[in-house]
Amino acid sequence: MENNASGTLYVVATPIGNLNDITPRALETLRNVQGVAAEDTRHTRALLTHFGIEQNLVALHQHNEEASAAQVVAKLLAGESWALVSDAGTPLMSDPGYRVVKAAQDNNIKVSPIPGACAAIAALSVAGLATDRFSFEGFLPAKNKARRDRLSQLVSETGTLVFYESAHRIEESLEDMVNVFGASRRASIARELTKLFETVKTATLAELLEFVQADPNQRKGEFVVMIEGAGDDADAVLREGERVYAVLKEHLPPSTAAKVAAELTGAPRKSLYGQ
Ligand code: SAM
């Protein structure tokens, strides 16, 4: 049962680039609460100042989330209402906030969303890939082997895969995606959404890698990368067979590699051997 004597924790989405994407409800909430827990208080102070809002800000980030959450929950229990914001988009979506939301719930405090921008959803809405089922994968691991291992675990997922990626890793991540998912898997990159250099491109993974490698400007900014899910049709089986064959061929005689790849994937051996 919710504790009626306590205040409400509002989880407020802020823009992912274009400041006009803030909603009237977000502004009203940020104006009326007793305090705002923010990922970076300087960043949020600038946003609030832009909209003429003065607020009491408390830092709540990766490194102090537990202690800060306890502080905010104490205020909520005392009857104050607070907002939680991150630097951009929806809090908790690859951003801090999970601990304070959970702590509020554990104390029967009402938690209410003030929805708005989220890069993953904005990207999916323009990618031209299936959106009936998708899996939000957040950021891939930074280390090469861990990244490839994570991608390999996802190769047979049938829903669209959604990743966040930064400028300094976009090229190597796309390289790994080509190697793991195959050059011909359809995918999309959404860069700098709602900003000046917004770019959305949907093509095969190999074409996207080429596009990003050919133009240094296409490696700048913030990215959402989406990969079409694995089909269960014969083409997808063949592509997976080709991928496994290519790896095995490095270690085994081609005929053995083709036999094992065919057994593992169900692809016809004859279509693999000799490639
Ligand atoms: N909470 C945010 C949300 O709701 O989307 C995401 C925060 S996460 C720390 C930042 C990542 O989101 C970036 O590295 C990028 O992958 C993605 N992102 C944020 N803004 C973006 C934009 N305008 N265009 C494309 N991707 C963006």
Side-chain angles (χ1 to χ4, degrees), residues 99-115:
R99 285 197 177 83
V100 68
V101 167
K102 178 152 188 326
Q105 274 186 349
D106 290 347
N107 284 279
N108 300 317
I109 292 164
K110 182 172 178 185
V111 182
S112 182
I114 308 291

Side-chain angles (χ1 to χ4, degrees), residues 184-249:
S184 57
R185 180 85 76 102
R186 253 165 52 90
S188 183
I189 42 181
R191 182 175 81 93
E192 295 287 271
L193 292 174
T194 78
K195 302 188 213 175
L196 187 59
F197 296 110
E198 177 179 285
T199 312
V200 178
K201 189 166 171 68
T202 302
T204 66
L205 276 171
E207 286 162 344
L208 290 179
L209 176 60
E210 206 182 306
F211 175 68
V212 162
Q213 282 174 334
D215 179 359
N217 287 326
Q218 294 302 335
R219 300 197 285 274
K220 292 182 183 155
E222 300 189 284
F223 298 81
V224 181
V225 181
M226 294 150 284
I227 303 182
E228 188 169 72
D232 54 2
D233 55 18
D235 271 4
V237 171
L238 182 57
R239 282 201 298 274
E240 178 62 357
E242 286 169 354
R243 188 186 73 80
V244 173
Y245 175 63
V247 176
L248 292 177
K249 205 167 58 168

